[in-house]
Amino acid sequence: MSCLHRPRRRPAAVLFTLLALLLATACGGGTTDSAGSAGGKSPTVRIALGVDGSYAPLYLAAERGMFKKAGLDVQLMQVEGGPAAAQAVTAGTAQMSANADSTALPQMVSNPRLRALGVFQSSGRYLKVVLRKGITSPRQIKAMGSIQGIGLYATHEYLRHHGLDADSVKIRQSSPQEIPTMLQRGDIDGYILFDPWAAKGVEAGGHLAGSIGDFGVTYKQWLLTDDTWLKQNEELAGKVFKVVAEADRLVTGDPHAAALAAHEQAQLPVAQTEQGVGEISFTSRSLTSADVASSRKIVDFLIAQKLIKKAPDYDTVLLRGWYDQHAR
């Protein structure tokens, strides 16, 4: 239908005029995008994430309205962390998530539609080894607490690094909130966690005995999404990641401001968060062949532990170069 109107109408054309008004959306009126948003407004993007200082760029971007300034409607959806963030994408309650590589990879086996868009931070210092009072050598350890994903992988690598057979040590999996209490009760001799849970272990009488980089472990945080959503919203995903990259730079330049934002957004303690932020490299980048190699090592461990049965299709789920193409 043409959007041109004649300068004069006869009275008999009134009905046609009313009909034209009803169909005005065909001539530049409100449209509906692929996510169901009307009026040309950017569709809502919910990002699932955990609650600790490693998510500081996302907290800062939300606190300063950086997504809104970029014309985006982004909502942070706080979950328990670990697999829950990726599972929110799988369930469709979130469009994107922030996940560590060791947590994302098993989720990619169960849901091969998940896609890693790129890295937004990494560290070999953020996760720390906490040992119980009186434990002065790893060889004294009889039991360790652990979270899923990076915690379990790092725990096994820590024991292997010190020449210990993981089968000789009881590994008790639990939530971050419970593990410092387990240490205080004497149920475990140590654990590997990030702050504030590492600091809470020290408050409970434990002591710091290093960080994961001391025994060759690093982790990377990826932004994940679902392939079906991505195919319809690739430009939108790139805009979101671009804001996260800018927030990365701001966090690096002003850790205190990042800690304040984390306190406002997630009630995290300012001093501990600021210290933790200083132990993380906040740099957004594309996934590379080196990331694929480290992913293979993690997956081999998970298969050996019978936690997954097979490897994901790395060439499909890890979108090498996507960030450089869509978010730089």
Side-chain angles (χ1 to χ4, degrees), residues 25 107 112 155 171 219 225 245 253 291:
T25 53
Q107 296 301 310
T155 298
I171 299 177
Y219 78 90
T225 191
D291 296 309

Side-chain angles (χ1 to χ4, degrees), residues 53-254:
S54 68
Y55 305 102
L58 292 159
Y59 296 142
L60 185 66
E63 186 66 19
R64 292 192 174 181
M66 293 172 65
F67 293 114
K68 186 175 182 180
K69 290 175 185 175
L72 302 171
D73 179 10
V74 171
Q75 299 176 6
L76 301 187
M77 185 174 130
Q78 294 178 13
V79 298
E80 183 179 346
Q87 288 165 359
V89 175
T90 297
T93 55
Q95 288 68 50
M96 302 177 76
S97 69
N99 283 92
D101 45 5
S102 55
T103 303
L105 288 162
Q107 296 301 310
M108 288 169 162
V109 174
S110 58
N111 179 11
R113 292 200 321 270
L114 287 172
R115 300 289 181 267
L117 303 179
V119 177
F120 75 94
Q121 59 111 318
S122 59
S123 180
R125 300 166 53 206
Y126 188 56
L127 275 79
K128 303 174 183 66
V129 180
V130 182
L131 298 180
R132 184 168 56 83
K133 183 178 180 180
I135 302 295
T136 58
S137 166
R139 296 195 170 276
Q140 296 174 274
I141 294 173
K142 302 298 182 187
M144 288 193 73
S146 175
I147 59 171
Q148 296 182 59
I150 182 62
L152 186 63
Y153 176 65
T155 298
H156 278 258
E157 288 297 296
Y158 173 74
L159 296 172
R160 187 183 65 80
H161 177 77
H162 290 287
L164 299 173
D165 182 358
D167 291 338
S168 68
V169 175
K170 188 166 182 115
I171 299 177
R172 303 176 184 270
Q173 292 195 55
S174 189
S175 67
Q177 298 88 335
E178 293 296 324
I179 289 176
T181 302
M182 293 165 64
L183 185 84
Q184 188 175 37
R185 289 198 305 253
D187 296 341
I188 56 175
D189 299 313
Y191 62 85
I192 299 172
L193 263 179
F194 43 82
D195 281 325
W197 312 113
K200 288 186 179 296
V202 174
E203 292 170 5
H207 61 96
L208 295 179
S211 57
I212 58 174
D214 297 337
F215 46 95
V217 175
T218 60
Y219 78 90
K220 305 170 189 73
Q221 285 266 26
W222 298 338
L223 281 187
L224 301 184
T225 191
D226 175 87
D227 182 56
T228 302
W229 182 85
L230 182 64
K231 285 177 179 175
Q232 299 176 346
N233 297 277
E234 198 152 40
E235 182 180 356
L236 176 59
K239 290 178 179 179
V240 172
F241 210 146
K242 191 173 290 188
V243 172
V244 174
E246 176 59 25
D248 269 345
R249 291 186 281 272
L250 295 176
V251 170
T252 301
D254 193 347

